[in-house]
Amino acid sequence: VGILVQARMGSTRLPGKVLESIGGEPLILRTVRELMHVTNVSVLQVVTTDSPKDDLLCGVLTDAQIDYFRGDELDVLHRYLCAAKQLNLDAIVRVNGDCPFIDPLLVQDVVNHYILRSDNIDYVSTVIDETFPLGMHVEVFSVRVLAACSKEAMGFEREHVTPFIYNNPNRFRVDSFKSEKNFANYRLTVDYPEDLTFSRKLADLLDSDIKIGEPRNRLHRIIRILEENAELVAINSSYRKPQTMRFE
């Protein structure tokens, strides 16, 4: 099982966002370094594009000694499949690189859920029934199933990697990982300038009382901060929308 973090410089809404500074380091490095706390995976790699636009991103990753794979810019499904085959993976943990507050222990829990049920499921995620904040999305799925999807998936399904799986529950064994309490109204991803402002302020509050070597991004701490700071939540509240990823 390996974590593949999707990242590129060419974001339509906020170009270059993965290298914007949050908590004193580039967003992509914060995301990846938090994921290093996940203990039940064998590899962690950034999957970016072979576009010259991503040369700068790859330079930052090289300097930070973080492994990366470069592949097709638009066919992200193919990019993931090629990276997984090169790493000889059985299963992929998919995380987006614009999620600087991803909780590594949540990722670990979703991976455990998959491992314990891998004889009976092909895919599990926090995406189908959205009970976690946007920016805490984790997907775990079989490389064998992704290869099968690659033969038929088209357009949107290739750009977003997994819709062909969860939109075909009669063909694939799909499971949902849910929070006991619904936190889907919170937004922890970076897509707009307001998200960046929000993330920098949240990081300052979140990182102020962390012991060295411990994960910074614990969901319960983040929720407590948001509940205590309504003015912080208001910064990017105009972009908080119900996210529906159910089978369609």
Side-chain angles (χ1 to χ4, degrees):
V1 181
I3 301 176
L4 300 184
V5 183
Q6 181 176 327
R8 65 187 180 110
M9 292 290 288
S11 167
T12 303
R13 290 169 290 198
L14 192 60
K17 64 182 179 180
V18 292
L19 294 186
E20 290 283 354
S21 179
I22 294 178
E25 63 184 334
L27 189 162
I28 186 63
L29 296 189
R30 181 186 178 98
T31 303
V32 171
R33 285 173 176 154
E34 283 298 287
L35 291 169
M36 289 177 179
H37 290 283
V38 179
T39 61
N40 55 356
V41 297
S42 57
V43 67
L44 171 59
Q45 185 179 77
V46 174
V47 287
T48 189
T49 87
D50 51 18
S51 167
K53 291 180 291 187
D54 287 311
D55 290 349
L56 181 59
L57 168 59
C58 292
V60 170
L61 295 172
T62 297
D63 290 343
Q65 297 183 312
I66 292 171
D67 188 31
Y68 62 86
F69 174 88
R70 305 187 74 167
D72 194 285
E73 181 174 16
L74 300 179
D75 190 346
V76 190
L77 190 161
H78 183 68
R79 192 197 315 169
Y80 261 81
L81 189 57
C82 290
K85 288 183 175 180
Q86 186 178 84
L87 293 169
N88 197 31
L89 296 180
D90 297 308
I92 295 168
V93 183
R94 180 172 179 247
V95 176
N96 284 320
D98 55 5
C99 299
F101 301 105
I102 189 73
D103 184 340
L105 300 191
L106 170 61
V107 176
Q108 193 164 292
D109 286 344
V110 181
V111 172
N112 276 336
H113 184 95
Y114 175 86
I115 291 172
L116 291 172
R117 297 163 177 79
S118 58
D119 289 340
N120 299 305
I121 63 173
D122 300 311
Y123 169 100
V124 61
S125 78
T126 62
V127 172
I128 298 168
D129 295 287
E130 293 208 287
T131 56
F132 291 94
L134 185 62
M136 288 282 181
H137 285 173
V138 184
E139 299 175 284
V140 187
F141 48 92
S142 159
V143 174
R144 174 186 55 80
V145 165
L146 189 66
C149 293
S150 184
K151 297 176 182 178
E152 300 181 54
M154 300 179 66
F156 172 90
E157 297 164 337
R158 304 197 72 87
E159 180 184 356
H160 295 277
V161 185
T162 55
F164 192 85
I165 301 175
Y166 56 70
N167 283 331
N168 287 282
N170 294 327
R171 295 181 57 180
F172 305 109
R173 301 168 300 174
V174 173
D175 201 2
S176 179
F177 192 93
K178 304 176 188 178
S179 170
E180 291 182 2
K181 185 176 180 180
N182 195 321
F183 299 117
N185 59 314
Y186 291 118
R187 179 179 175 85
L188 300 174
T189 190
V190 178
D191 281 322
Y192 302 100
E194 292 89 341
D195 293 329
L196 194 55
T197 300
F198 165 88
S199 296
R200 286 169 172 163
K201 292 179 180 296
L202 175 57
D204 288 343
L205 294 170
L206 188 63
D207 298 352
S208 62
D209 186 28
I210 294 294
K211 295 180 181 178
I212 295 175
E214 290 187 353
R216 293 170 292 186
N217 297 345
R218 295 308 320 281
L219 179 59
H220 67 277
R221 295 187 67 241
I222 293 171
I223 296 300
R224 185 174 69 247
I225 289 171
L226 298 181
E227 289 176 343
E228 294 173 352
N229 293 272
E231 73 285 355
L232 175 61
V233 176
I235 293 173
N236 63 351
S237 61
S238 62
Y239 295 111
R240 294 209 315 267
K241 300 177 181 177
Q243 303 290 320
T244 302
M245 298 288 289
R246 291 182 178 274
F247 306 134
E248 296 174 354

